[in-house]
Amino acid sequence: MKDLFEKIYKDKGPLGKWASQAEGYFVFPKLEGEISNRMKFQGKDVITWSINDYLGLANHPEVRKVDAEAAAQYGSAYPMGARMMSGHTDLHEKLQNELADFVSKEAAYLLNFGYQGMVSTIDALVAKDDIIVYDVDAHACIIDGVRLHMGKRFTYKHNDVVSLEKNLERATKMAEQTGGGILVISEGVFGMRGEQGRLKEIVALKKKFNFRLFVDDAHGFGTLGATGAGAGEEQGVQDDIDVYFATFAKSLASTGAFIAGDQEIIDYLKYNLRSQMFAKSLQMQLVVGARKRLDMLKTMPELKNKLWENVNALQSGLKKRGFDIGTTQSCVTPVYLKGSIPEAMALVRDLRENYGIFCSIVVYPVIPKGLILLRLIPTATHTLEDVSETLDAFDAIRERLENGTYKRLSAAVMAAMGE
């Protein structure tokens, strides 16, 4: 019999094998200073394009004041216990009602964490006779939630409505045999590529198929739609989303999340979400802070307007200079380049050390081999000067990638890895 840890000693995984070269710099980096458009990385000033603080609320003085006052009043422990037992308060209810009203749903329920809440919601919505149909590029939290499902599940090609329809046909036949129902899961915005889920087309399929729609709108909430209510509002189908999910970790710059839908559905979920029934209630300081952030989102449209001024400047500037930013329809700004993982490391080091640009790097296995994805997240705190500096830096690093500079610089890394 094998030692359980034998596989760990032999194979660190496609990303883990680069740990000695990457950790502390390319992965698990340590940004310092107040959360903003410019921070410090290893003692150097950098323009930060990797913080999901879309509306610039993380370090807003009004937000910090409310957070500090709430911490002083309630501490970091109150309320103690799970919501069902001893952790429920009037302010939890008020925040839920305000969130439900904002996203045009009858009811909402708070979640302690987005990832945990998504996994648990999927688990609660389906039984073994039900079938799940979900986008193949769904976020890891959705995939992990689907893995808990004891019944059948099908993936459809990313944002491919024809593929979805074919899988709905398969799911319908199976559901007729099992006596179960069908849950379709999409994202409002796919966080890696920035594409909106094709919610309008998915909703149209309800005329032909009997299914319920669950949407993860982590990146759409606060950034899309006339009021900021998300991708469903943007596409005019918010009423047709059966269960709506959003996190506080992006636009609201905090911790927590929520689900929203018809009152009866939310009532069912709050009594069956294991991750909430058996976990401590969301701390009061976070509840109070979320209410303040939501109020600012509703009453200060200039925050979203500034965000989109920066988004449009960055994305149009990249396209004019010939960069491939894919088919993003959101604030998420991917830049696709061709190169190996060692070349990607050399390129990003150059960006950070010589140009003062800090953005996230994504390589295989998240994207296909031979591609480098640099993901930029514009926020309301960025300036047009930040955009201009970044565009010039990207021109420079593309030239060095194409003329082989990074390939030569990365040779030592490849040799060390035995590549």
Side-chain angles (χ1 to χ4, degrees):
M1 184 172 67
K2 287 185 178 180
D3 177 359
L4 177 67
F5 291 168
E6 183 178 341
K7 59 182 177 294
I8 297 174
Y9 302 136
K10 288 184 175 180
D11 183 6
K12 302 298 183 185
L15 291 178
K17 72 174 185 177
W18 298 99
S20 61
Q21 288 79 23
E23 192 162 327
Y25 195 92
F26 302 102
V27 295
F28 301 103
K30 299 173 184 176
L31 284 167
E32 298 177 335
E34 293 186 344
I35 296 171
S36 186
N37 58 316
R38 294 188 182 235
M39 298 175 70
K40 284 190 178 293
F41 177 64
Q42 298 196 342
K44 291 184 170 64
D45 292 327
V46 292
I47 302 172
T48 49
W49 295 103
S50 61
I51 305 295
N52 291 322
D53 180 24
Y54 284 121
L55 300 178
L57 296 179
N59 202 41
H60 194 287
E62 291 185 39
V63 166
R64 290 188 64 159
K65 181 175 183 292
V66 168
D67 286 352
E69 290 172 349
Q73 181 177 357
Y74 298 105
S76 60
Y78 184 79
M80 287 298 295
R83 292 278 296 281
M84 292 186 75
M85 299 299 178
S86 57
H88 188 63
T89 72
D90 285 342
L91 289 182
H92 284 75
E93 285 188 354
K94 286 180 179 179
L95 176 56
Q96 288 174 170
N97 292 336
E98 289 160 1
L99 287 164
D101 180 68
F102 183 64
V103 298
S104 301
K105 296 297 181 185
E106 285 184 0
Y109 192 64
L110 290 179
L111 308 171
N112 294 347
F113 294 98
Y115 198 111
Q116 173 202 60
M118 173 59 70
V119 170
S120 194
T121 300
I122 294 172
D123 179 52
L125 284 172
V126 291
K128 64 180 179 63
D129 293 333
D130 300 324
I131 295 92
I132 299 175
V133 183
Y134 65 105
D135 192 296
V136 71
D137 278 1
H139 189 271
C141 65
I142 295 174
I143 294 171
D144 285 353
V146 171
R147 283 174 175 170
L148 291 178
H149 181 42
M150 301 297 289
K152 293 291 184 179
R153 64 261 196 165
F154 302 117
T155 58
Y156 61 93
K157 295 177 183 178
H158 175 57
N159 260 352
D160 187 325
V161 179
V162 173
S163 175
L164 170 58
E165 186 166 0
K166 288 180 180 177
N167 279 282
L168 280 171
E169 289 172 354
R170 296 170 65 195
T172 298
K173 291 178 181 178
M174 187 161 291
E176 288 171 350
Q177 295 173 357
T178 64
I182 300 172
L183 177 68
V184 172
I185 308 175
S186 178
E187 295 188 44
V189 172
F190 290 86
M192 196 61 64
R193 302 182 185 185
E195 300 159 330
Q196 290 183 41
R198 298 182 66 179
L199 306 183
K200 191 171 184 178
E201 290 92 334
I202 294 172
V203 164
L205 289 175
K206 283 188 171 186
K207 296 177 181 177
K208 186 175 181 180
F209 300 96
N210 182 15
F211 64 86
R212 294 294 187 172
L213 176 60
F214 183 20
V215 173
D216 173 355
D217 204 23
H219 289 272
F221 178 75
T223 68
L224 295 175
T227 70
E233 181 182 53
E234 178 81 10
Q235 298 183 37
V237 293
Q238 186 75 352
D239 290 346
D240 298 292
I241 296 172
D242 296 295
V243 181
Y244 178 88
F245 165 96
T247 176
F248 299 161
K250 305 294 191 293
S251 288
L252 295 193
S254 186
T255 299
F258 72 97
I259 47 175
D262 290 349
Q263 183 72 59
E264 193 166 356
I265 303 305
I266 299 303
D267 284 345
Y268 170 82
L269 288 171
K270 74 181 184 182
Y271 280 92
N272 290 278
L273 285 172
R274 293 173 64 82
S275 67
Q276 308 307 304
M277 294 168 64
F278 302 103
K280 186 180 182 298
S281 177
L282 191 65
Q283 298 99 313
M284 186 66 86
Q285 66 190 84
L286 296 175
V287 173
V288 173
R291 292 189 71 203
K292 174 62 178 177
R293 290 160 168 82
L294 180 61
D295 181 67
M296 293 174 72
L297 171 56
K298 292 190 290 187
T299 61
M300 298 174 67
E302 63 269 22
L303 297 173
K304 187 163 76 75
N305 292 341
K306 177 56 180 172
L307 164 66
W308 277 97
E309 178 186 353
N310 292 332
V311 171
N312 292 331
L314 179 65
Q315 293 184 357
S316 63
L318 286 165
K319 286 192 283 189
K320 285 178 182 176
R321 295 179 187 226
F323 286 95
D324 179 7
I325 65 169
T327 55
T328 181
Q329 303 158 309
S330 69
C331 303
V332 179
T333 305
V335 178
Y336 297 94
L337 300 166
K338 292 182 179 179
S340 65
I341 292 179
E343 284 177 294
M345 290 180 173
L347 179 154
V348 169
R349 186 178 292 276
D350 195 19
L351 261 182
R352 294 177 182 177
E353 299 299 324
N354 299 315
Y355 297 96
I357 306 296
F358 189 100
C359 60
S360 298
I361 172 178
V362 184
V363 293
Y364 177 83
V366 181
I367 59 173
K369 286 184 178 180
L371 281 181
I372 302 168
L373 190 161
L374 301 176
R375 189 178 74 152
L376 290 82
I377 303 292
T379 73
T381 64
H382 283 103
T383 67
L384 296 181
E385 181 183 356
D386 295 336
V387 172
S388 179
E389 285 186 38
T390 301
L391 293 174
D392 289 343
F394 270 58
D395 275 340
I397 59 108
R398 177 176 57 186
E399 181 179 349
R400 302 193 81 192
L401 179 64
E402 292 175 348
N403 68 24
T405 298
Y406 296 134
K407 192 170 187 178
R408 292 190 293 273
L409 290 173
S410 65
V413 176
M414 296 179 71
M417 293 298 298
E419 295 289 324

